[in-house]
């Protein structure tokens, strides 16, 4: 092969670790990154060659390089990496400096196939159930499912699994539609499952240097157990503008904004067979249910406490608080909220959706002492959702007692 032209924008360096040593492979371009399906991989007998096997894709066969053989062939003494203490100390200094001024951004995490993805929450107007029917569109791309009507607004619906090359069916109960918006225009994106809402330090995002999935991925968020692909916000905005349906009359959402009509945004969750809600500004994160450490002499509805990234927070069982029986399932979630300047986790059976509700569908309680602040009357009275008053979920005296018990345990 000819020497690689490093002046070209497509050239990339792939870094890897073999036997505890770091190596870098210079390639002409990086095309894709993903998991190998075992049934499409065929290994070859070990010899002096540097090919470990072949991977069959739809239209081609890829040679799989034996990275161990390649790296051992160049592992000369002169290539052994050395530690540069001054550079390391400078890097650590920069990290310490940046950590004190870390910028946080809230992301919505969801699943496509078996992979984890995220996008900035500010792009998401609401999350809704998948309707039974879509209005089909003729002569459209494969990823276009059809049109839905949401409060008299016509919205194009795309299958995000198909956009990213995954298979898709419309039969899974955990599937949701993300209503994303930009410049008053909306688009519905089908995802396989909504997982979490998290505040992420932007310094923890690793820039995606490769042209992954056709410039759809902006960054990677890595933890010990998973890697999440962060979708480029500009790519989402471009899709919204591309697929927005230009209606002859302005839709209700845009009209309400122009006329100053306030919309209340809420997180809707289920307990037993009932639906409840919290203002979205009262929900910092949505995390999966995890093991809880009991707190001695706590009220029945205070389940215990968990360690969330170094912070100990109490967990309140909303089913017990509201008089239901707690039932832990795979759909169970913890809503991380702020009550009296204290982080508190609220256990719920499941998180259903994020809704924007017009004021005309809201009845407000006159009592400030009530646990429920508002009633959301939707779908012509067929759907009634009680919205909790965050400050009345637990009283200050009980919260002080929990703090004391936590300090004793920690």
């Amino acid at each position: 092969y000819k020497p690689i032209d490093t002046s070209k924008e497509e050239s990339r360096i792939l870094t890897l670790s073999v036997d505890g040593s770091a190596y870098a492979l210079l390639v002409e371009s990086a095309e894709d990154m993903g998991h190998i399906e075992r049934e499409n991989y065929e290994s070859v007998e070990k010899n002096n060659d540097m090919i470990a096997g072949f991977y069959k894709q739809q239209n081609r066969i890829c040679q799989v390089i034996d990275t161990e053989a390649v790296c051992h062939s160049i592992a000369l003494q002169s290539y052994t990496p050395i530690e540069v203490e001054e550079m390391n100390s400078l890097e650590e200094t920069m990290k310490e400096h940046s950590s004190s001024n870390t910028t946080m951004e809230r992301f919505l995490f969801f699943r496509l196939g078996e992979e984890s993805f995220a996008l900035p929450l500010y792009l998401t107007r609401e999350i809704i159930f998948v309707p039974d029917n879509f209005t089909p569109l003729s002569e459209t791309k494969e990823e276009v499912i059809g049109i839905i009507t949401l409060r008299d607004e016509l919205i194009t619906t795309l299958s995000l699994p198909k956009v990213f090359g995954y298979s898709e069916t419309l039969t899974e109960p955990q599937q949701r539609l993300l209503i994303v918006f930009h410049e008053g225009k909306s688009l519905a994106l089908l995802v396989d499952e909504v997982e979490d809402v998290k505040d992420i330090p932007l310094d923890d995002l690793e820039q995606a240097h490769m042209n992954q999935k056709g410039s759809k991925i902006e960054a990677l968020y890595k933890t010990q157990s998973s890697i999440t692909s962060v979708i480029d916000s500009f790519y989402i905005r471009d899709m919204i503008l591309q697929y927005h349906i230009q209606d002859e009359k302005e839709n209700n959402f845009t009209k309400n904004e122009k006329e100053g009509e306030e919309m209340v945004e809420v997180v809707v969750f289920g307990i037993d067979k009932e639906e409840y809600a919290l203002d979205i500004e009262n929900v910092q994160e949505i995390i999966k249910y995890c093991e809880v450490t009991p707190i001695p002499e706590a009220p029945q509805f205070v389940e215990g406490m968990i360690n969330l990234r170094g912070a100990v927070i109490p967990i309140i069982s909303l089913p017990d608080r509201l008089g239901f029986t707690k039932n832990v399932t795979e759909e169970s979630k913890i809503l991380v909220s702020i009550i009296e300047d204290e982080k508190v986790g609220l256990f719920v059976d499941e998180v259903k959706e994020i809704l924007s509700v017009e004021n005309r569908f809201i009845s407000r309680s006159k009592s400030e002492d009530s646990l429920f602040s508002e009633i959301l009357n939707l779908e012509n009275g067929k759907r009634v959702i009680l919205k909790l008053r965050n400050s009345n979920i637990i009283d200050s005296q009980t919260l002080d007692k929990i703090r004391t018990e936590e300090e004793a345990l920690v």
Side-chain angles (χ1 to χ4, degrees):
Y1 295 95
K2 295 180 181 179
I4 295 174
D5 185 359
T6 56
S7 64
K8 291 185 177 180
E9 292 183 357
E10 300 82 25
S11 61
R12 293 289 186 270
I13 288 179
L14 310 182
T15 59
L16 59 151
S17 176
V18 177
D19 293 340
S21 297
Y23 296 86
L25 301 181
L26 178 64
V27 298
E28 288 184 345
S29 66
E31 296 182 345
D32 202 354
M33 182 178 71
H35 293 289
I36 287 182
E37 298 173 359
R38 289 293 179 184
E39 61 269 22
N40 293 331
Y41 176 75
E42 182 179 339
S43 60
V44 297
E45 293 183 4
K46 284 285 184 179
N47 51 34
N48 293 329
D49 203 346
M50 296 183 184
I51 301 300
F54 298 92
Y55 183 60
K56 301 174 185 177
Q57 293 182 310
Q58 289 182 346
N59 301 318
R60 60 179 178 173
I61 297 178
C62 300
Q63 301 179 71
V64 180
I65 296 173
D66 187 338
T67 53
E68 185 175 352
V70 171
C71 293
H72 284 171
S73 70
I74 62 172
L76 304 178
Q77 187 65 31
S78 58
Y79 290 167
T80 303
I82 60 173
E83 296 290 334
V84 183
E85 293 183 1
E86 291 184 1
M87 184 178 293
N88 286 343
S89 61
L90 176 61
E91 184 179 4
E92 289 173 3
T93 303
M94 292 177 67
K95 284 184 178 179
E96 290 175 0
H97 176 72
S98 62
S99 64
S100 61
N101 300 296
T102 301
T103 302
M104 306 287 286
E105 186 168 332
R106 190 165 294 181
F107 287 87
L108 173 67
F109 286 71
F110 54 89
R111 187 175 55 78
L112 304 179
E114 298 300 323
E115 305 293 332
S116 176
F117 290 81
L119 57 81
L121 188 62
Y122 69 82
L123 287 172
T124 307
R125 185 175 114 194
E126 50 193 301
I127 302 172
I128 64 173
F129 287 104
V130 180
D132 294 331
N133 299 302
F134 293 87
T135 303
L137 288 169
S138 59
E139 299 181 2
T140 58
K141 295 182 179 180
E142 183 184 8
E143 61 264 24
V144 178
I145 299 174
I147 297 174
I148 63 169
T149 302
L150 184 63
R151 293 187 294 276
D152 296 332
E153 178 185 3
L154 298 178
I155 302 176
T156 303
T157 304
L158 299 186
S159 167
L160 214 51
K162 284 189 176 180
V163 170
F164 282 86
Y166 300 98
S167 60
E168 167 261 304
T169 58
L170 289 170
T171 58
E172 300 298 329
Q174 66 268 28
Q175 288 180 323
R176 295 291 186 271
L177 291 184
L178 311 183
I179 310 299
V180 292
F181 72 108
H182 174 60
E183 295 182 354
K185 301 174 175 63
S186 301
L187 177 68
L189 301 176
L190 174 75
V191 300
D192 288 330
E193 184 179 3
V194 173
E195 294 186 313
D196 295 317
V197 175
K198 295 180 184 177
D199 287 328
I200 301 298
L202 294 183
D203 290 345
D204 288 354
L205 296 180
E206 179 181 316
Q207 202 69 23
H209 297 292
M210 292 196 297
N211 190 23
Q212 298 181 47
K213 301 293 182 185
S215 299
K216 301 181 183 73
I217 303 302
E218 178 182 15
L220 301 175
Y221 175 63
K222 299 180 180 180
T223 65
Q224 291 182 345
S225 59
S226 65
I227 298 178
T228 299
S229 300
V230 179
I231 300 177
D232 191 336
S233 57
F234 288 101
Y235 177 73
I236 296 293
R237 293 172 186 174
D238 289 343
M239 282 203 303
I240 294 171
L241 297 177
Q242 177 183 352
Y243 289 101
H244 171 67
I245 298 174
Q246 189 67 39
D247 202 353
E248 292 181 1
K249 58 179 182 178
E250 287 187 302
N251 58 61
N252 280 357
F253 181 72
T254 307
K255 194 159 47 177
N256 285 338
E257 282 193 329
K258 290 185 176 181
E259 294 176 0
E261 176 71 27
E262 290 186 6
M263 303 279 285
V264 175
E265 200 166 15
V266 296
V267 178
V268 180
F269 53 89
I271 296 177
D272 197 54
K273 296 180 181 180
E274 305 299 327
E275 287 187 316
Y276 298 91
L278 279 171
D279 279 321
I280 195 166
E281 60 259 28
N282 289 332
V283 179
Q284 281 202 334
E285 296 182 44
I286 303 173
I287 62 175
K288 292 182 178 179
Y289 181 75
C290 56
E291 187 176 347
V292 177
T293 303
I295 298 176
E297 300 182 11
Q300 182 181 356
F301 63 85
V302 179
E303 185 179 351
M305 61 184 181
I306 64 170
N307 188 308
L308 182 63
R309 296 188 297 276
V312 177
I313 65 172
I315 303 299
I316 294 174
S317 169
L318 282 185
D320 287 315
R321 178 70 175 88
L322 299 175
F324 295 98
T325 300
K326 180 186 172 186
N327 182 28
V328 179
T329 68
E330 291 184 355
E331 302 297 322
S332 299
K333 293 287 191 292
I334 293 176
L335 309 181
V336 181
S337 184
I338 299 292
I339 300 178
E340 295 194 7
D341 299 324
E342 179 88 8
K343 269 191 177 183
V344 174
L346 306 174
F347 170 86
V348 299
D349 290 348
E350 62 175 327
V351 172
K352 293 193 169 184
E353 52 192 326
I354 297 176
L355 282 180
S356 294
V357 183
E358 298 175 32
N359 267 334
R360 60 194 177 101
F361 298 121
I362 300 174
S363 300
R364 291 174 171 80
S365 171
K366 296 179 181 180
S367 172
E368 293 293 327
D369 298 326
S370 172
L371 179 58
F372 303 106
S373 60
E374 296 170 356
I375 299 175
L376 313 182
N377 196 333
L378 309 177
E379 300 175 11
N380 295 322
K382 297 178 182 178
R383 188 181 183 192
V384 177
I385 302 173
L386 297 176
K387 194 176 85 172
L388 277 73
R389 181 176 278 111
N390 200 51
S391 57
N392 289 353
I393 292 176
I394 185 170
D395 60 78
S396 57
Q397 186 177 358
T398 304
L399 201 53
D400 288 338
K401 184 178 179 180
I402 292 173
R403 290 192 191 105
T404 303
E405 294 291 345
E406 284 179 351
E407 291 171 1
L409 289 173
V410 176

